[in-house]
Amino acid sequence: MSLSTPVKLIAIATFSLGASSALAFEPKGKVECLAPADPGGGWDFTCRSVGNVLETLDLVPASVQTVNMAGAGGGVAFAHTVSKRAGDDQLLVAASTATTTRLAQGQFPGMDADMVNWVGALGADYGVIAVASDSEYQDLPSLMEALKNDPRSVKFAGGSAKGGWDHLKVLIAAQEAGVENLPRIAYLSYNNGGEAMTQVVGGHVDAFTGDITEAQGFMDSGDLRVLAVLSEERLPGEFSDIPTAREQGIDAIGPNWRGFYMPADISDDARDYWVGAMDTIYESDEWKEVMSSNGLMPFHMTAGEFQDFVNQQIVDIETLSKDIGLIK
């Protein structure tokens, strides 16, 4: 599946609460959800929102505790999961396109996607490019025109590491807009989207690159103005007034799936339980409400097909990164 392929809802097998009692594994006590960033970003949102639904649906016996572990664009959490948590069947780790981006670029030294279990994806969060409400830039073409004149004239802030998915979204848009010398575009990396947006609304950085769920709070407060959403068509509901990059003449698409991986060496029964739990969450009214209120679009993959998708996306992003000069 290429980065530009429209996200499709995958048909899945149902997993009922009644069937869970027949499974050989059920979680016991507290479940931990590792968010590979500080509070306020997309991974933190994924852990907390999914944790709430897991509790509401009685898929866990107690609470789901979100633990924030920032660093290296998710690399610290990935290394922790691989080296210290093998066999831990009560650990979920939030992941996204940002995770596959870092893997594609070799940013997790000595580690690859096969060192963890990919258990499911629960929605796609589309990228945005935004500015402070008082910014001189009124639309995406005017911002891109400034980059054409001088690639260093606009500084972008994002919650991923340099070369990560937030950074890539800017480069994808700039490439489609005809900007040259893409590596010279200024990008400042922060530990999460919330910190990056604070720099933008405070006037320290010109523009924010991130995802719609991250931006919602600053949009609601009136501090942030979204110039474009990087989706095939406008998002539904309260986000429907945000123009796409495509309708502004810049054919840039940037879906960021949200899902989970788990440590290696867990039992087949434990893996089956959590794969089934992800299916149950995705089909629930509670999760549909979370998706609707946070701008998430339909996207669900489970078990083997999710592993295949992750591997293919890593290949696609590696090719893209080479094309725009991020890696050799």
Side-chain angles (χ1 to χ4, degrees):
M1 178 176 177
S2 71
L3 293 179
S4 60
T5 302
V7 175
K8 297 181 179 178
L9 177 63
I10 307 296
I12 59 170
T14 58
F15 171 83
S16 68
L17 289 175
S20 67
S21 60
L23 296 176
F25 169 85
E26 289 184 3
K28 297 177 177 61
K30 183 177 64 179
V31 171
E32 185 176 330
C33 188
L34 194 59
D38 291 332
W43 285 325
D44 185 69
F45 160 81
T46 302
C47 271
R48 294 182 192 279
S49 57
V50 171
N52 288 337
V53 177
L54 281 168
E55 294 173 19
T56 300
L57 297 179
D58 292 327
L59 289 166
V60 291
S63 64
V64 177
Q65 180 185 9
T66 295
V67 176
N68 296 93
M69 185 177 287
V76 172
F78 197 92
H80 173 79
T81 302
V82 169
S83 65
K84 300 184 182 303
R85 303 299 288 271
D88 189 337
D89 53 23
Q90 302 210 166
L91 175 67
L92 300 169
V93 188
S96 63
T97 308
T99 312
T100 47
T101 297
R102 304 303 281 169
L103 286 165
Q105 296 171 347
Q107 297 297 323
F108 298 169
M111 295 177 287
D112 59 47
D114 293 333
M115 293 181 174
V116 297
N117 280 295
W118 301 88
V119 293
L122 295 172
D125 190 5
Y126 279 93
V128 295
I129 294 176
V131 294
S133 57
D134 59 355
S135 171
E136 65 181 287
Y137 301 110
Q138 296 299 312
D139 54 30
L140 188 61
S142 64
L143 185 146
M144 290 297 160
E145 193 62 33
L147 290 177
K148 287 181 184 179
N149 294 330
D150 178 5
R152 304 294 293 178
S153 64
V154 180
K155 292 184 174 64
F156 292 87
S160 73
K162 188 173 183 180
W165 183 235
D166 287 342
H167 188 190
L168 272 183
K169 282 178 286 200
V170 172
L171 299 177
I172 291 168
Q175 184 181 50
E176 292 295 331
V179 177
E180 298 180 353
N181 208 350
L182 298 176
R184 282 189 53 77
I185 295 174
Y187 174 80
L188 302 176
S189 171
Y190 294 90
N191 280 330
N192 60 75
E195 187 178 338
M197 282 180 285
T198 298
Q199 295 299 310
V200 173
V201 301
H204 306 295
V205 186
D206 301 302
F208 168 72
T209 168
D211 296 313
I212 191 72
T213 54
E214 295 178 303
Q216 186 174 13
F218 282 89
M219 291 164 55
D220 291 345
S221 67
D223 294 312
L224 197 72
R225 178 159 42 84
V226 178
L227 299 182
V229 59
L230 306 184
S231 54
E232 292 85 359
E233 53 190 45
R234 290 199 181 199
L235 301 182
E238 63 183 296
F239 302 108
S240 62
D241 60 342
I242 302 173
T244 65
R246 175 175 283 178
E247 71 186 72
Q248 298 177 72
I250 299 169
D251 194 15
I253 307 297
N256 186 13
W257 57 263
R258 302 236 169 246
F260 295 93
Y261 62 84
M262 294 186 68
D265 299 331
I266 60 174
S267 69
D268 290 343
D269 289 333
R271 177 181 167 84
D272 289 346
Y273 181 89
W274 289 112
V275 168
M278 295 297 157
D279 294 348
T280 300
I281 291 169
Y282 190 76
E283 291 297 308
S284 71
D285 291 338
E286 289 84 354
W287 184 248
K288 288 172 183 175
E289 173 58 31
V290 170
M291 290 180 65
S292 174
S293 60
N294 289 281
L296 287 175
M297 300 298 287
F299 183 85
H300 182 65
M301 289 185 179
T302 184
E305 65 187 359
F306 185 41
Q307 177 77 57
D308 291 343
F309 168 79
V310 164
N311 290 335
Q312 185 59 53
Q313 189 174 58
I314 288 171
V315 171
D316 291 344
I317 294 175
E318 180 180 8
T319 300
L320 172 65
S321 299
K322 288 178 179 177
D323 287 346
I324 57 184
L326 280 174
I327 59 175
K328 296 182 180 179

